[in-house]
């Protein structure tokens, strides 16, 4: 007898499995630990497409792997990205995290296959989710595995279940369920889905809700069935039951299935395929071609997944990265861990592991990059502080993005997504190198007066309770490598770990577990340092690493910017430098002249910055100065300790903060 086709209801689910209140974590996740990743899956060859790891396997091999994992009592997630998924991966940091965590990622789209061939790392074939649901169900029927169909359009899940059981009579279809529109915002409906799946106990769950809704639901509820395999299959139920006709096989093989779908639903799909899809496909293929040429003439292979076990290689990453693991090992000790007592909770370090805990839950780095407070640097340059130059590699923003790449490499992550948060009055950072495309996103806080605590509370809604985020004030020049700082923070093994100044006040760097953000108020101004941390410490473990010297110098005004650059460049060159204002450290250490600036050969530039569009004439002298776009320092004139803005002559030495603020006026 085959499983009856009846839609599970709340009552039937309750009758089968008694509801146990209090057994769920926030976000609907149960206290069940899923098995670790399979070594066999970790050894699979992978191809890098704009930062997305796509497994280079066939459809048949994919089915075999899933069945083998089920036989070994291990569950997992399959993601089948197409061109639209890849575009979303690059623009949506949360969706990117969901794809990065999948156990199997296979290419459902011929443009991805073409791109892999152009860059010299060909995928064996397209593995479409609409094909995988049939081939996997056929294998499940012969191995005694059960399936559940979740989602689709009204009636399509039931119709698809009937088609599958007709094709494969031995297949165990243990149920299907179509949640109503808007279910993702209804906690009762999420609970219904959880109860229905718990009652059915399938081995394989097909989720047909469209992307990214299906991936988000899988991430939220998968822990109720840790030994099951979850597949997001998009519109596959409608294809199976005949509600939507698939393209002929010849169109599928040559990559024109999208044309067939566009002809069926032109109003819904025109923008996705024509307005957005074609330009993005062009960029993907052109970048892959350029990467293929580079790989052919200067190959730099790196290990793909699980370097210790990998037997295949993937092409070189497009970003310049260095191995900082030895640096982390030797330098963590210089970050002296101490507990702030009397302000936040403190507890003994006894029985805490000395080594850093795994970073598998690190979801992103959050850069707080905007401030409603007036900043003379922003006013004079017309650009974000993050767009100010730092070194020959570019701006402060590029430095942060480069550090994020190094962090990912040091902790063996594919990528550490970066979220740059700015307020509605700040200029949007625009200086990122194209090589970092897809690794970061700029987000504008639309609240007029939210505070850092409020911003982090709102951002925390995107993550689960046990997810980790690294939070940093972006308007600073970092003096220690970020991997070193992160390793030291993680060694505290606390709910919140912060870097503190010598006087005990927190600096602009912390590692926190997202559950602590639920304590912060939903409305009103709320500062993280002054209000948030003391409140969090009343319930959670908040610990600090006290530093004799800062890990970074804030960029609040010209003096702080120049001092930070001076110290940063002195350290890079190996020279002794000090931030003690009473110490003598007057020797020049840098001169930053942006492309597009005009500086005469006889001009002298000491510890100064000349931005694009500025002009410094012959014989002029710059000392600890910033020359803004369009500004001119005339022949034989001197600019010392000041900002020179458009059409303004250099003013007196030793400018005050009031002088700096007046530049823009």
């Amino acid at each position: 007898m085959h499983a009856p086709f009846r839609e599970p209801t709340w009552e039937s689910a309750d009758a089968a499995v008694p509801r146990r209140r209090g057994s769920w974590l926030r976000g609907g996740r149960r206290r069940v630990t899923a098995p670790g990743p399979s070594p066999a899956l970790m050894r699979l060859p992978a191809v890098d497409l704009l930062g997305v790891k796509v497994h280079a396997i066939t459809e048949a091999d994919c089915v075999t792997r899933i069945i083998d994992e089920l036989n070994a009592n291990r569950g997992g997630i399959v993601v089948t990205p197409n061109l639209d998924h890849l575009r979303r991966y690059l623009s949506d940091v949360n969706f990117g995290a969901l794809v990065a965590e999948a156990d199997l990622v296979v290419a459902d789209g011929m443009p991805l296959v073409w791109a892999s061939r152009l860059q010299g790392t060909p995928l064996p074939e397209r593995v479409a989710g609409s094909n995988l649901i049939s081939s996997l169900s056929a294998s499940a029927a012969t191995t005694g595995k059960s399936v559940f169909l979740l989602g689709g359009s009204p009636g399509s899940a039931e119709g698809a279940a009937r088609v599958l059981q007709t094709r494969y009579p031995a297949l165990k279809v243990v149920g299907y369920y179509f949640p109503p529109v808007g279910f993702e915002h209804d906690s009762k409906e999420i609970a219904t889905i959880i109860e229905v799946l718990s009652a059915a106990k399938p081995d394989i769950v097909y989720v047909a809700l469209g992307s990214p809704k299906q991936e988000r639901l899988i991430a939220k509820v998968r822990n109720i069935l840790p030994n099951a395999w979850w597949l997001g299959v998009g519109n596959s139920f409608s294809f199976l039951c005949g509600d939507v006709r698939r393209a002929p096989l010849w169109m599928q093989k040559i990559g024109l299935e999208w044309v067939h779908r566009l002809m069926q639903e032109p109003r819904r799909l025109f923008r996705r395929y024509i307005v957005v899809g074609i330009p993005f496909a062009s960029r993907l293929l052109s970048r892959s071609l350029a990467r293929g040429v580079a790989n052919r003439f200067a190959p730099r292979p790196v290990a793909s997944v699980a370097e210790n076990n990998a037997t295949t290689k993937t092409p070189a990453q497009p970003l310049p990265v260095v191995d900082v693991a030895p640096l982390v090992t030797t330098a963590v000790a210089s970050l002296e861990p101490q507990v702030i007592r009397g302000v936040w909770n403190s507890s003994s370090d006894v029985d805490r592991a000395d080594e850093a805990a795994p970073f598998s839950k690190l979801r992103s780095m959050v850069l707080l990059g905007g401030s409603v407070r007036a900043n003379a640097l922003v006013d004079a340059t017309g650009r974000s502080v993050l767009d100010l130059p730092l070194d020959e590699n570019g701006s402060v923003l590029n430095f942060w993005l480069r550090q994020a790449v190094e962090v990912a490499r040091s902790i063996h992550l594919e990528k550490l997504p970066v979220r740059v948060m700015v307020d509605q009055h700040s200029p949007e950072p625009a200086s990122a190198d194209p090589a970092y495309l897809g690794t970061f996103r700029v987000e504008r806080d639309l609240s007029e007066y939210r505070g850092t605590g409020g911003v982090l509370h709102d951002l925390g809604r995107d993550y689960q309770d046990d997810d980790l985020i690294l939070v940093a004030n972006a308007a600073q020049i970092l003096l220690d490598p970020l991997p070193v700082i992160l390793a030291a923070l993680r060694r505290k093994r606390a709910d919140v770990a912060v870097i503190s100044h010598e006087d005990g006040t927190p600096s602009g760097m912390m590692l926190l577990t997202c559950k602590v953000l639920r304590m912060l108020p939903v409305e009103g101004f709320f500062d993280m340092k002054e209000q948030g941390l003391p409140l969090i410490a009343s319930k959670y473990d908040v610990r600090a690493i006290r530093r004799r010297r800062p890990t970074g110098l804030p960029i609040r005004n010209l003096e702080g910017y120049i001092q930070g650059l001076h110290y940063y460049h002195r350290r890079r060159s190996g020279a002794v430098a000090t931030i003690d204002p009473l110490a003598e450290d007057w020797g020049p250490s840098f001169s930053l002249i942006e492309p597009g600036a005009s500086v005469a050969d006889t001009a002298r530039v000491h510890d100064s910055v000349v931005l694009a569009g500025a002009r410094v004439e012959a014989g002029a002298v710059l000392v600890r100065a910033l020359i803004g776009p369009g500004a001119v320092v005339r022949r034989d004139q001197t600019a010392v300790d000041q900002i020179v803005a458009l059409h303004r002559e250099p003013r007196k030495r030793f400018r005050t903060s009031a002088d700096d603020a007046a530049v823009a006026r």
Side-chain angles (χ1 to χ4, degrees):
M1 295 292 293
H2 309 313
F5 292 104
R6 69 180 169 82
E7 181 174 345
T9 62
W10 178 274
E11 289 76 21
S12 64
D14 281 349
V17 179
R19 297 179 64 194
R20 294 176 293 174
R21 298 188 182 277
S23 64
W24 308 101
L25 291 172
R26 290 187 183 92
R29 297 195 301 168
R30 200 173 180 180
R31 293 185 182 274
V32 178
T33 303
S38 164
L41 294 182
M42 294 177 65
R43 288 194 295 268
L44 286 178
V47 171
D48 182 277
L49 294 175
L50 296 183
V52 180
K53 177 194 66 178
V54 182
H55 288 112
I57 58 176
T58 64
E59 180 180 330
D61 194 22
C62 182
V63 170
T64 300
R65 300 281 181 174
I66 294 173
I67 298 299
D68 288 347
E69 293 297 297
L70 285 171
N71 290 334
N73 202 32
R74 288 191 293 261
I77 298 175
V78 180
V79 175
T80 58
N82 56 28
L83 188 68
D84 189 59
H85 295 159
L86 185 61
R87 180 188 60 80
R88 186 179 295 113
Y89 177 93
L90 298 176
S91 61
D92 186 340
V93 66
N94 303 310
F95 181 72
L98 297 177
V99 175
E101 289 184 350
D103 299 275
L104 280 174
V105 180
V106 291
D108 182 355
M110 285 305 297
L112 276 66
V113 177
W114 296 334
S116 71
R117 294 171 181 172
L118 287 174
Q119 69 181 23
T121 56
L123 293 167
E125 66 179 19
R126 175 194 180 199
V127 183
S130 47
N131 293 334
L132 191 59
I133 187 174
S134 296
S135 56
L136 181 57
S137 296
S139 185
T142 61
T143 56
K145 308 302 180 186
S146 60
V147 302
F148 188 99
L149 288 77
L150 177 63
S153 57
S156 66
E158 179 181 0
R162 292 187 183 278
V163 170
L164 288 175
Q165 196 153 39
T166 300
R167 288 182 183 176
Y168 317 111
L171 180 64
K172 299 177 183 178
V173 180
V174 294
Y176 52 82
Y177 183 66
F178 171 69
V181 176
F183 75 91
E184 65 272 22
H185 306 299
D186 187 343
S187 59
K188 291 184 178 179
E189 189 57 42
I190 295 294
T192 300
I193 293 173
I194 290 173
E195 297 291 352
V196 166
L197 290 171
S198 298
K201 295 182 174 60
D203 297 308
I204 300 169
V205 184
Y206 299 124
V207 185
L209 295 169
S211 183
K213 188 181 298 184
Q214 61 193 19
E215 287 81 15
R216 291 172 178 166
L217 179 63
I218 290 172
K220 180 173 290 188
V221 304
R222 68 160 300 198
N223 281 347
I224 66 172
L225 298 170
N227 299 321
W229 272 82
W230 303 73
L231 288 79
V233 294
N235 206 34
S236 298
F237 294 175
S238 296
F239 287 146
L240 275 174
C241 67
D243 289 348
V244 177
R245 289 182 293 108
R246 286 200 70 181
L249 187 60
W250 68 268
M251 295 187 76
Q252 298 178 36
K253 289 184 176 180
I254 65 175
L256 291 180
E257 187 171 10
W258 66 273
V259 176
H260 187 270
R261 291 204 62 194
L262 179 62
M263 293 172 63
Q264 289 182 298
E265 302 178 84
R267 296 186 63 180
R268 186 175 74 88
L269 298 176
F270 181 81
R271 185 180 186 279
R272 171 179 168 180
Y273 287 154
I274 303 300
V275 178
V276 177
I278 291 179
F280 180 76
S282 301
R283 291 195 297 271
L284 168 65
L285 296 176
S286 61
R287 288 195 62 177
S288 298
L289 177 60
R291 190 173 181 181
V293 173
N295 288 340
R296 176 173 298 180
F297 292 100
R300 294 181 296 123
V302 295
S304 57
V305 186
E307 290 181 307
N308 292 336
N309 296 323
T311 58
T312 59
K313 301 292 182 178
T314 60
Q317 300 296 324
L319 305 182
V321 294
V322 298
D323 185 6
V324 297
L327 180 61
V328 173
T329 302
T330 57
V332 165
S334 66
L335 294 172
E336 303 162 300
Q338 297 181 16
V339 180
I340 297 181
R341 304 185 185 278
V343 180
W344 300 303
N345 287 348
S346 62
S347 60
S348 173
D349 276 333
V350 177
D351 297 331
R352 292 181 181 271
D354 291 335
E355 66 277 2
F359 286 92
S360 60
K361 289 295 183 180
L362 183 62
R363 292 292 175 261
S364 69
M365 178 167 70
V366 177
L367 297 179
L368 303 175
S371 173
V372 298
R373 294 174 295 181
N375 189 310
L377 294 172
V378 175
D379 294 337
T381 63
R383 61 172 73 175
S384 166
V385 169
L386 293 180
D387 289 336
L388 293 175
L390 178 66
D391 54 27
E392 68 279 359
N393 294 313
S395 64
V396 175
L397 175 60
N398 279 308
F399 174 80
W400 281 109
L401 297 177
R402 189 166 66 251
Q403 290 289 300
V405 171
E406 294 181 0
V407 165
R409 175 61 60 86
S410 69
I411 60 179
H412 307 295
L413 290 179
E414 290 290 326
K415 180 177 70 173
L416 177 63
V418 178
R419 304 179 70 171
V420 184
M421 313 298 295
V422 299
D423 64 52
Q424 57 182 312
H425 302 295
S426 300
E428 184 168 314
S431 61
D433 190 285
Y436 296 111
L437 176 67
T439 66
F440 77 102
R441 184 175 68 184
V442 177
E443 303 174 56
R444 192 174 292 278
D445 176 27
L446 299 181
S447 301
E448 181 71 24
Y449 199 60
R450 194 74 178 94
T452 54
V455 170
L456 291 176
H457 170 273
D458 297 345
L459 181 145
R461 297 170 180 168
D462 298 335
Y463 303 99
Q464 300 293 340
D465 283 357
D466 55 352
D467 289 342
L468 293 172
I469 58 175
L470 178 63
V471 181
N473 171 23
Q476 64 174 314
I477 296 178
L478 208 58
L479 303 178
D480 289 309
L482 192 57
V484 174
I485 298 173
L486 178 61
L489 287 170
R490 192 57 181 143
R491 287 182 66 187
K492 301 304 294 180
R493 306 293 294 277
D495 298 307
V496 181
V498 301
I499 302 292
S500 76
H501 299 133
E502 192 171 8
D503 61 2
T505 60
S507 69
M509 186 76 66
M510 69 180 70
L511 180 69
L512 57 86
T513 308
C514 289
K515 64 183 179 182
V516 307
L517 300 177
R518 317 292 186 235
M519 293 188 66
L520 305 183
V522 178
E523 298 178 349
F525 179 87
F526 204 77
D527 182 76
M528 190 64 177
K529 294 180 183 178
E530 300 296 331
Q531 300 167 281
L533 290 178
L535 176 63
I536 291 170
S538 65
K539 181 178 179 180
Y540 295 103
D541 186 18
V542 178
R543 303 173 66 80
I545 299 173
R546 186 171 297 178
R547 298 282 286 135
R548 289 199 181 101
R549 60 172 177 79
T551 56
L553 294 177
I555 308 174
R556 298 192 183 99
N557 49 34
L558 175 64
E559 181 182 5
Y561 177 44
I562 296 298
Q563 184 185 49
L565 289 175
H566 176 82
Y567 193 73
Y568 171 79
H569 284 274
R570 295 279 282 182
R571 292 197 68 193
R572 287 185 70 201
S573 66
V576 178
T578 178
I579 57 174
D580 184 354
L582 301 180
E584 293 188 3
D585 190 20
W586 52 267
S589 59
F590 71 92
S591 62
L592 297 178
I593 302 174
E594 281 191 334
S598 175
V599 179
D601 292 340
T602 58
R604 286 171 286 178
V605 182
H606 299 291
D607 283 1
S608 296
V609 179
V610 185
L611 301 182
R615 187 169 85 250
V616 181
E617 297 181 348
V621 177
L622 308 181
V623 180
R624 298 181 298 277
L626 172 65
I627 315 302
V632 179
V633 181
R634 300 296 181 184
R635 180 181 296 271
D636 298 327
Q637 289 189 334
T638 300
V640 180
D641 292 317
Q642 66 184 92
I643 300 173
V644 182
L646 179 62
H647 301 312
R648 294 186 182 274
E649 296 296 330
R651 294 191 177 185
K652 62 184 180 180
R653 188 175 177 177
F654 305 122
R655 294 171 61 87
T656 64
S657 58
D659 293 328
D660 283 340
V663 169
R665 301 197 297 267

